Structure formats: C-alpha cells, structure tokens
Amino acid sequence: MNMSFSIDKESCNKALEEAGARKVALVHHLKIKDPNGYSTWLNESKNSFNSQRLFRVKADPAAREGMLIDEIVIDAFPSTQKAFAFMAAFDGALNQVCSEHTVLAIMPEPSVTFYVVKCISWFVRLFKGVTDKGIPTAAWRAENIAVWPDENQMTVARAQDLDEPLFVYNLNKYKPNAEYKDSYEGAKQISGKKAYDRYSKIAGFELLRRGAYPVYGGKPICVFGSPRGCMLADRWDHFIFVRYPQRRNLLATIESDEFHKGEVHRNAGLERVAIFMTKKA
C-alpha cells in the first residue's frame, strides 16, 4: 500500500485500517510559538487514551527547506481508535500553541525487534566495541544531499555538545530499482530497498560496536496537518529512530573507512530522505 498524505483525519484513519494497523504511533513535528501553552499541553496529553509517550526530542537548529522545527514528540497507541480519540481531544490545543504542526502516523514494528537489536548491540560492543574520543574530523561531505544530511546540518551537528546522547530521525524513500554508478561490481538488478539493506549491514555494524542502535521505527501510513512546501508531506517507505550514546559516535562513524564502503549502496538505493538530528528535550 502506498502512503497517503492529507489533512483529512478520516482519510488517514481509513488508510491505517487498510494497512491492517492494530497499533499506531503519532510522530508530531512541532514549531512552537507559545512555550508555556506547549508545556501545559505536554502535561495534559501525556499517556492519555492508553498511550505511551516514547520520545520527546529537541531538533538541531539546522534550517533546511521545509524542515525547520523545534521538537519531535512520539506517542504510541494500542489502537487506531485511541490514536484518533487523542487527536480529537488534544490537536486543537496543540495547534493553538504551535505555528506549525505536522503529524506522521506510522504502523510500528514489533517492540521485540528493538529489544533484540539492543541485545545484539550489547554483545557486539562487548567483543568488537570501539570507544570514540576527541573531536572527529570534519572531512566528510555528502555527494547527494537528497539522501544525506546537507553541509549546513553537519556544520550545526558538529557544533553541538559531542558528549550528549544523540537521536537521529530518518524517513526513507527507496528507489524502485537500485541505481549504481559505473557498473559497480555485484550490482545486479536489485530493488532500492535491497541496496539500502546492503548499506545497513555495513553501517549498522559500525553503529552497534559503538552502542548505537534503532530504538523505534515502522511503516509510514499517512501525514496530515503539513503546511504547503513541507518536505514531510510526501510519500515515504520507512521511519527509523536511532539512538547514539554520544553525538561523537555518529560523527566518528561517518568518517570511518568501513562506513565509506557502504555509501555506494545508500546512494544507489535511496531516492530521498528526511533527517533530523536531535537531543532529549
């Protein structure tokens, strides 16, 4: 099923039902204009309608077209009915305290998936772990900013506290067929998703050995409330939320030789991404 985007909650509800979503998470992307009113909303809405507030993070102040937001809040619900009851009760108040409010509804992957990955990370770190120290170099530059953070994002990311935990928000759109340059060896006709999976195996190991791993993710189903020109108002294939023990872990990873071996697969498999670098609010 293709993801849909609309400001019509009924349409989103129908899309979730068609996708067979029993559980749902709402990912709120917020540009806040009234901090006091927002604080009240956070307190009143937390864990309402049997929900669980999983994450609340502050986005790096890195302006990119259609991506300038202050915070991201992820609430998980046991059913679509509970999610939309939550929205009916609290969206009006949230719109009053935010100048922009875009909601992405996702069908989450089983929680056991992330528990298993966390355990794997512990074992990899125990036997193959590395410790990043000092200030990582700033040599890495993206060739294709449609599928990587742009230079402004990286400049801002490097200027933040390198010792703090980092949460990276990823929305991926895969190409129907992978597109490798210069007849890359082993680049048979495969899907964009399979090419990205090749990248994930290489990059993922570099993350795991640093204690970083996905803590949440799922299938994007619909997005609504987005302003015109917001790049989130598009069709996406996968949502991934990754935690790094320290920000320097990400910066060291992308400068590593092993990570560079996987870049060709990411470039071949992805059509576009939306990436936010964040810290716990």
Side-chain angles (χ1 to χ4, degrees), residues 94-120:
L94 189 56
N95 286 329
Q96 290 293 318
V97 301
C98 294
S99 56
E100 292 183 14
H101 170 208
T102 300
V103 179
L104 174 70
I106 70 166
M107 183 168 60
E109 296 172 22
S111 57
V112 67
T113 300
F114 305 105
Y115 176 78
V116 170
V117 172
K118 182 178 181 179
C119 292
I120 292 173

Side-chain angles (χ1 to χ4, degrees), residues 101-193:
H101 170 208
T102 300
V103 179
L104 174 70
I106 70 166
M107 183 168 60
E109 296 172 22
S111 57
V112 67
T113 300
F114 305 105
Y115 176 78
V116 170
V117 172
K118 182 178 181 179
C119 292
I120 292 173
S121 174
W122 187 87
F123 280 106
V124 171
R125 187 160 176 75
L126 179 63
F127 295 104
K128 297 287 185 178
V130 296
T131 300
D132 299 314
K133 298 180 180 180
I135 300 175
T137 66
W140 182 84
R141 294 290 185 278
E143 294 183 7
N144 179 9
I145 62 171
V147 302
W148 296 96
D150 64 15
E151 189 169 346
N152 183 49
Q153 281 184 289
M154 293 306 302
T155 298
V156 172
R158 292 180 176 113
Q160 307 303 308
D161 186 345
L162 299 182
D163 295 321
E164 286 186 339
L166 172 71
F167 292 85
V168 180
Y169 167 120
N170 304 268
L171 270 178
N172 290 346
K173 176 63 179 177
Y174 305 118
K175 296 175 182 176
N177 298 302
E179 298 176 2
Y180 285 93
K181 293 183 179 180
D182 305 322
S183 62
Y184 177 81
E185 184 179 354
K188 296 180 180 179
Q189 189 69 17
I190 61 172
S191 68
K193 175 63 168 60

Side-chain angles (χ1 to χ4, degrees), residues 33 88 90 137 142 149 154 197 230 245:
K33 66 180 180 181
F90 294 110
T137 66
M154 293 306 302
D197 288 344
C230 175

Side-chain angles (χ1 to χ4, degrees), residues 64-67 140 142 144-150 153 168-175 196 199 231-232 234-238 240 266-267 269-276:
R64 187 169 178 176
E65 185 178 1
M67 288 181 63
W140 182 84
N144 179 9
I145 62 171
V147 302
W148 296 96
D150 64 15
Q153 281 184 289
V168 180
Y169 167 120
N170 304 268
L171 270 178
N172 290 346
K173 176 63 179 177
Y174 305 118
K175 296 175 182 176
Y196 183 81
Y199 157 79
M231 72 177 297
L232 296 172
D234 215 327
R235 303 184 186 279
W236 301 97
D237 294 318
H238 196 198
I240 314 169
R266 181 183 174 106
N267 289 329
L270 284 174
E271 180 180 310
R272 62 180 179 275
V273 300
I275 298 175
F276 295 97

Side-chain angles (χ1 to χ4, degrees), residues 107 241 259 263:
M107 183 168 60
F241 199 56
F259 178 83
E263 288 184 90

Side-chain angles (χ1 to χ4, degrees), residues 117 120-121 124-125 196-214 242 244 253 258-259 262:
V117 172
I120 292 173
S121 174
V124 171
R125 187 160 176 75
Y196 183 81
D197 288 344
R198 291 178 175 179
Y199 157 79
S200 295
K201 286 183 179 180
I202 297 171
F205 181 74
E206 291 302 302
L207 300 185
L208 292 172
R209 66 202 299 244
R210 290 172 164 85
Y213 51 86
V242 182
Y244 296 77
T253 297
E258 285 302 311
F259 178 83

Side-chain angles (χ1 to χ4, degrees), residues 216-256:
Y216 204 65
K219 170 69 177 175
I221 302 298
C222 55
V223 62
F224 47 89
S226 58
R228 182 174 296 179
C230 175
M231 72 177 297
L232 296 172
D234 215 327
R235 303 184 186 279
W236 301 97
D237 294 318
H238 196 198
F239 168 68
I240 314 169
F241 199 56
V242 182
R243 182 189 184 278
Y244 296 77
Q246 293 181 311
R247 185 177 290 255
R248 72 176 75 252
N249 299 138
L250 169 65
L251 302 179
T253 297
I254 64 176
E255 299 290 352
S256 69

